[in-house]
Amino acid sequence: MEFSEWYSEILEKAEIYDVRYPIKGCGVYLPYGFKIRRYTFEIIRDLLDKSGHDEALFPMLIPEDLLAKEAEHIKGFEDEVYWVTHGGKTPLDVKLALRPTSETPIYYMMKLWVKVHTDLPIKIYQIVNTFRYETKHTRPLIRLREIMTFKEAHTAHSTKEEAEEQVKEAISIYKKFFDTLGIPYLISKRPEWDKFPGAEYTMAFDTIFPDGRTMQIATVHNLGQNFSKTFEIIFETPTGDKDYAYQTCYGISDRVIASIIAIHGDEKGLILPPIVAPIQIVIIPLIFKGKEDVVMEKAKELYEKLKDKYRVHIDDRDIRPGRKFNDWEIKGVPLRIEIGPKDIENGKITLFRRDTMEKFQVDESELEEVIEKTLNNIMENIKNRAHEKFENFITILEDINPEEIKKILSEKRGVVLIPFKEEIYNEELENKVEATILGETEYKGKKYIAIAKTY
């Protein structure tokens, strides 16, 4: 089965996302998918909060004159903006944009908040929906017209050096985030022609999907003083002079959820990292005639024992065990407990690991210790497996041969790394290889140009 077909099928079968909403590029997070989303973004919230960021919430509507204030910025988004032109039946004096991103409204407010150097730094973030009129082929959670989950952080600093340090901190936060999820990544500095509109430079995280195409999963932008000059975010320095704030911003979106699904899943369905699994352990009572009460009682006893530490569910549906097994394998539940009359008599518990499809028995007295070790091992295993696949998709070429690059990206795909040379680092190279230059990257201590077929 082709990856795109598998991906669409698993979103439906695992009850993650329903694409049948009557607007192209918009869909519905179903309860199971929404919980994956919730647990995933709890991780980034925690990382941001612990590093001194504060969560805020800004309006979705942006006046046209405010959005257009930073010329280079709006030029990058003008073809993708949704406009509100009427209030009821009354035409609006000023059109209102549905936010494609929030630099302009946030920086309008920062101007009001910043007066002296002691007002800095500001480190805020919000997790909101954004809107972009995508004209390319839309894909659920990958390329949307309503991006339902957009975490954007915005910072302001009193010196250029502090802003540089903030870029490093943002990259460090994202590394921890993706490492926690077991998602491998390549970090690159985007080329000038592909940086964020209005930024000094852009750093980006890309992962590789099973079909060999790369997916941009996070970006970090050093904005310098470009926006602060436009929005007049001026502060008084310790010496009494005036200066413009130095700014950064960085974001991630629903593509993180798509990456969890695509990178860890297999032909049977999802394989969820335990930390984001809506159900970490499912208990399946194996009911035999005359033993129903004994088995259900034991299942409930195990549930009570485990529920305070793990997200546990008892599947007591009146259907065959084989169908239950299949359902939870599709949904990627990391660990399954099967409990039947013989297990109870022998003081044993049967466990099943979704990542290896391995079934084994343990003494009931050792259950909690084994569960903790097994869940940790599952995470380590799927992380290592993902990194191995990722590394297999990396091709290093010492000679720069456009035809060979094209051949590799057509047959093997993945990322081709060629030695960094300033004289060839341009859009002409993209045209020659018929692929995207991700940017300049360091890989195993050497500097390369990274080239790939992208989503």
Side-chain angles (χ1 to χ4, degrees), residues 263-275:
I263 286 166
H264 296 310
D266 65 12
E267 69 282 355
K268 291 184 178 294
L270 300 179
I271 298 176
L272 293 175
I275 195 168

Side-chain angles (χ1 to χ4, degrees), residues 40-41 177-178 181 183 217 252-260:
T40 299
F41 279 85
F177 178 59
F178 292 122
L181 298 170
I183 296 174
I217 51 174
I252 56 172
S253 72
D254 297 287
R255 288 183 171 193
V256 176
I257 309 303
S259 299
I260 292 169

Side-chain angles (χ1 to χ4, degrees), residues 93 120 127 228 280 309 325 355 403 406:
D93 293 335
L120 299 168
I127 300 176
S228 64
Q280 295 167 317
K309 192 171 181 181
F325 296 165
D355 62 324
E403 290 305 314
K406 275 203 290 187

Side-chain angles (χ1 to χ4, degrees), residues 26 48 60 111 130-131 142 192-193 265 277 289 354 367 395-396 424 432 436 453:
C26 297
L48 289 167
M60 179 194 300
K111 174 192 174 181
T130 61
F131 299 84
I142 293 173
E192 276 294 306
W193 63 88
K289 198 168 183 180
R354 174 62 183 88
L367 180 63
T395 303
I396 299 174
I424 64 159
K432 283 180 181 176
T436 301
K453 296 276 189 180

Side-chain angles (χ1 to χ4, degrees), residues 38-93:
R38 188 175 97 206
Y39 296 132
T40 299
F41 279 85
E42 276 179 7
I43 299 168
I44 195 68
R45 263 196 175 100
D46 184 58
L47 288 167
L48 289 167
D49 291 347
K50 284 178 177 174
S51 57
H53 294 72
D54 291 307
E55 189 167 7
L57 187 60
F58 289 81
M60 179 194 300
L61 296 173
I62 306 172
E64 182 181 22
D65 53 347
L66 188 60
L67 189 67
K69 200 164 184 178
E70 214 294 328
E72 188 180 345
H73 181 70
I74 185 58
K75 192 177 178 183
F77 289 105
E78 59 189 350
D79 293 335
E80 299 178 356
V81 177
Y82 280 94
W83 294 103
V84 177
T85 59
H86 287 69
K89 294 181 179 179
T90 307
L92 299 177
D93 293 335

